[in-house]
Amino acid sequence: MKVMWISFTFALSRAPNSFAVQLLNTATNLVATGLFGQLLFEEKVALSWWIGACLMLIGSLIIISEQEEDKKKTE
């Protein structure tokens, strides 16, 4: 739970808008869930899960960067 709040407040201080905060927080929670599950509980996390998590993270970053570019164009 503490990791979620830390990532959320970090995203709030860095992100340009609340949509980006939600994307960053969700992606961070997804990766943290996989890491902690594997490290603390010795869960077996499939390679396909990690690939999917990385694709979601990359997609989130693309959306955020495109929003920044659109914002710069309108200014």
Side-chain angles (χ1 to χ4, degrees):
M1 181 94 168
K2 193 173 187 178
V3 172
M4 184 177 81
W5 281 109
I6 291 170
S7 68
F8 184 72
T9 55
F10 180 77
L12 277 174
S13 67
R14 304 287 173 129
N17 55 39
S18 61
F19 180 69
V21 171
Q22 287 297 99
L23 281 175
L24 289 171
N25 194 40
T26 301
T28 303
N29 287 335
L30 179 68
V31 172
T33 299
L35 283 175
F36 289 138
Q38 197 168 18
L39 296 173
L40 297 178
F41 303 114
E42 298 178 4
E43 292 180 352
K44 295 187 182 207
V45 182
L47 179 62
S48 60
W49 189 93
W50 285 111
I51 292 170
C54 288
L55 288 173
M56 291 175 67
L57 181 61
I58 291 168
S60 298
L61 294 173
I62 290 170
I63 291 171
I64 292 168
S65 66
E66 286 180 358
Q67 282 187 338
E68 278 295 305
E69 288 175 14
D70 289 344
K71 186 177 179 181
K72 289 178 183 177
K73 287 179 184 177
T74 58
E75 290 179 349

